[in-house]
C-alpha cells in the first residue's frame, strides 16, 4: 500500500508536471477554493445518483428502466474517474507539506517524498486517519481539478470576468 502510494505519486508528477505544479499553486494561494472545488467533485456521483433515481421514480414505469439503463454507465464512469483521481489527490498536498519542511526550492519529487512519508506516518494513527484522509482527498481533488484547468488554460473565462474593461475596450466592442 505505502510503496504503491509513493510510486503512483512520483509517476503522476512525471506524467502531468504542469497540472501538479498548478495544483500546488492552488493549495498555496487559496486552499479554501481547492476544498470547495473538491467537495463539489466528490459529491457529484451522489447528486447524479439521487437525480437519476428521482427522475426514474417520477417517470412512467415503461421509461424508468430505460432512464436508469442509460444513466448507469455514465454514473459508473464518473465514479471510476473520481476513484482514480482520489488516488492521485494527495500528491499536491504532499508536495506542499514537503516543501514547508524541506524548503521551498526543493524539487517536486523530493518534496513529494518528504511530504508523502510524513502523511503516511500521520495516517498510521487510526483516529487521525478519519479526519486527514477525507480532508486531504477533498483538497487534493479540488486542487488537481483547478490545477488541470489552469494548466490547459481553461480558467481564462474566470480571469476575464474579473478584469476591468476600459472605456476604449467597450467602444471597440460596440458597447456604450
Amino acid at each position: 500500500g505505502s510503496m504503491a502510494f509513493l510510486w503512483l505519486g512520483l509517476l503522476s508528477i512525471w506524467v502531468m508536471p504542469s497540472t501538479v505544479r498548478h495544483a500546488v499553486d492552488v493549495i498555496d494561494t487559496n486552499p479554501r477554493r481547492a476544498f470547495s472545488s473538491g467537495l463539489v467533485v466528490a459529491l457529484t456521483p451522489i447528486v447524479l445518483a439521487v437525480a437519476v433515481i428521482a427522475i426514474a421514480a417520477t417517470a412512467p414505469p415503461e421509461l424508468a428502466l430505460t432512464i436508469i439503463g442509460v444513466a448507469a454507465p455514465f454514473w459508473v464512469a464518473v465514479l471510476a474517474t473520481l476513484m482514480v483521481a482520489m488516488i492521485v489527490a494527495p500528491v499536491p498536498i504532499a508536495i506542499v507539506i514537503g516543501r514547508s519542511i524541506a524548503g521551498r526550492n526543493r524539487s517536486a519529487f523530493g518534496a513529494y517524498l518528504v511530504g508523502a512519508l510524513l502523511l503516511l506516518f500521520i495516517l498510521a494513527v487510526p483516529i487521525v486517519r478519519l479526519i486527514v484522509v477525507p480532508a486531504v482527498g477533498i483538497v487534493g481533488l479540488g486542487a488537481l481539478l483547478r490545477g488541470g484547468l489552469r494548466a490547459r488554460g481553461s480558467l481564462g473565462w474566470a480571469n476575464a470576468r474579473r478584469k476591468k474593461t476600459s472605456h476604449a475596450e467597450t467602444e471597440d466592442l460596440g458597447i456604450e
Side-chain angles (χ1 to χ4, degrees), residues 36-58:
S36 62
S37 297
L39 193 60
V40 168
V41 172
L43 292 176
T44 297
I46 296 168
V47 172
L48 284 174
V50 169
V52 167
I53 291 169
I55 291 169
T58 59

Side-chain angles (χ1 to χ4, degrees), residues 76-139:
V76 169
V78 169
L79 188 61
T81 303
L82 177 64
M83 291 305 186
V84 170
M86 289 298 282
I87 293 169
V88 182
V91 172
I93 303 246
I95 293 172
V96 169
I97 292 169
R99 285 190 175 158
S100 67
I101 293 170
R104 302 291 290 161
N105 55 0
R106 175 71 72 185
S107 75
F109 292 101
Y112 170 73
L113 288 174
V114 170
L117 290 173
L118 181 62
L119 271 176
L120 289 171
F121 180 73
I122 290 170
L123 294 177
V125 181
I127 300 295
V128 176
R129 183 184 307 172
L130 293 173
I131 298 167
V132 172
V133 167
V136 166
I138 289 171
V139 172

